[in-house]
Amino acid sequence: FTERGRLDLRQAQSVQDNRDQIITDLSWLALDIHQYRLLPRQMSGGGGTYLGYGPPREMSKTDDASYSVAVKDHEVAIHAQSTIYPSASVEVTVDTTGRLVWWNYAGEFK
């Protein structure tokens, strides 16, 4: 390897590490979102809907990304903006079953 090759490899690994961590965070956030939907309103849940959901404070911004949600009755769109690579982001939707669908990668994550 040349020095340039090593630097390119380190950069690619760093981008992939950040993307992987964001995907992990999105999985945990999807779990939290779906649990909210399943919990009755008396237990601070959505009672069968996602309306009223807000991400936990510790999940709004991490070392890897900031997360925002757009809530609809039967789905939640999540936008994750990398804090390490400002042009890189991931958008995904949590469906009624709690699955992450409609993935979209931007910037260095493409």
Side-chain angles (χ1 to χ4, degrees):
F1 275 105
T2 65
E3 186 60 30
R4 179 69 185 157
R6 283 189 198 108
L7 290 174
D8 288 347
L9 182 58
R10 283 189 193 123
Q11 175 67 18
Q13 288 172 328
S14 178
V15 169
Q16 188 61 47
D17 287 347
N18 185 231
R19 181 179 165 187
D20 290 347
Q21 185 57 52
I22 289 171
I23 291 169
T24 299
D25 289 347
L26 287 169
S27 295
W28 283 108
L29 193 53
L31 178 64
D32 187 67
I33 290 168
H34 192 60
Q35 285 177 342
Y36 174 85
R37 178 186 164 96
L38 295 176
L39 282 174
R41 293 196 188 280
Q42 304 89 300
M43 297 178 69
S44 300
T49 180
Y50 290 127
L51 294 176
Y53 176 80
R57 179 181 294 256
E58 65 273 9
M59 284 302 299
S60 295
K61 186 169 177 70
T62 67
D63 291 340
D64 294 288
S66 58
Y67 300 89
S68 58
V69 298
V71 179
K72 295 182 181 172
D73 186 22
H74 296 291
E75 68 180 28
V76 177
I78 309 170
H79 178 82
Q81 186 70 48
S82 173
T83 53
I84 300 169
Y85 302 100
S87 69
S89 64
V90 180
E91 292 181 355
V92 67
T93 300
V94 179
D95 70 7
T96 56
T97 66
R99 290 182 318 157
L100 293 168
V101 296
W102 310 109
W103 291 83
N104 183 37
Y105 297 94
E108 288 95 327
F109 291 163
K110 277 190 166 184

